[in-house]
Amino acid sequence: EKDTYISLDMFKDKEEMSLYQSKKLSKDLNLHTHIMEVVKPFTTRMTCHPQTYVSLFKGYHMVPVSQGTHDLNLVIVLSGSCILYLINPKHENEIQGKSNHQLKKWSHKIVLKPNSILSIPPQWFYLYECKGEVVISEYHSDTYGTYLYNSIR
């Protein structure tokens, strides 16, 4: 990303490392086409602006809280396993300013294993915790009716 080159051999040598939500890695590893096939049952004729990301984790990592801002937000575990914490948007005021560990109080804990796909409802918050070697893909898309709104907010 941003003209930084990382050798995947570095993942072998280091005990802890992460590469989070890389669009380029998705294309470089030819995962974009595979991911698009996997998500086909979730898409409609109204689906537009699909985006795929790949994240690589080695060691212990807790990804910061995100909000599902698109019509379709999918988390796909390609390798390894992780714990995803899903938080209802009605708790938005309570979770502001809290650390990731404190957010667990308001969350639904979901264990994702290889080949698991989880749909994050629009506006819901989520974070995930990874231990060991984990490869995760995220897919986001909108519909023609919501694309403009989602692209300007």
Side-chain angles (χ1 to χ4, degrees):
E1 290 297 316
K2 299 180 181 143
D3 297 327
T4 302
Y5 295 97
I6 297 174
S7 168
L8 293 179
D9 285 336
M10 290 175 65
F11 275 87
K12 274 192 318 193
D13 302 335
K14 296 196 176 202
E15 286 186 36
E16 241 183 59
M17 193 169 181
S18 69
L19 182 62
Y20 181 58
Q21 285 191 339
S22 171
K23 280 186 184 182
K24 186 167 177 14
L25 189 61
S26 174
K27 289 187 168 94
D28 289 350
L29 295 177
N30 288 328
L31 291 172
H32 178 77
T33 306
H34 171 70
I35 294 164
M36 295 305 286
E37 278 299 311
V38 169
V39 302
K40 212 178 243 185
F42 299 95
T43 61
T44 68
R45 289 186 192 149
M46 296 294 290
T47 298
C48 70
H49 198 250
Q51 302 171 65
T52 61
Y53 303 92
V54 171
S55 300
L56 304 175
F57 301 100
K58 184 175 182 183
Y60 175 79
H61 295 279
M62 189 162 228
V63 176
V65 67
S66 299
Q67 187 173 23
T69 56
H70 300 278
D71 286 340
L72 183 57
N73 306 286
L74 299 175
V75 175
I76 306 160
V77 177
L78 302 173
S79 171
S81 63
C82 72
I83 300 171
L84 187 135
Y85 298 95
L86 193 58
I87 305 167
N88 191 312
K90 71 180 181 182
H91 299 297
E92 183 174 13
N93 293 333
E94 291 99 337
I95 67 172
Q96 285 181 349
K98 303 280 192 251
S99 72
N100 281 355
H101 289 288
Q102 292 172 315
L103 296 177
K104 293 178 182 181
K105 173 181 174 181
W106 292 278
S107 68
H108 302 276
K109 180 180 176 179
I110 302 159
V111 177
L112 298 174
K113 299 190 186 253
N115 300 316
S116 296
I117 300 174
L118 180 68
S119 177
I120 308 293
Q123 305 309 314
W124 282 58
F125 297 92
Y126 66 99
L127 61 136
Y128 43 89
E129 182 176 31
C130 303
K131 294 177 185 170
E133 294 181 4
V134 182
V135 180
I136 295 175
S137 174
E138 289 192 39
Y139 171 86
H140 305 287
S141 68
D142 296 306
T143 59
Y144 290 112
T146 60
Y147 171 70
L148 183 59
Y149 173 76
N150 285 335
S151 64
I152 60 174
R153 68 170 162 161

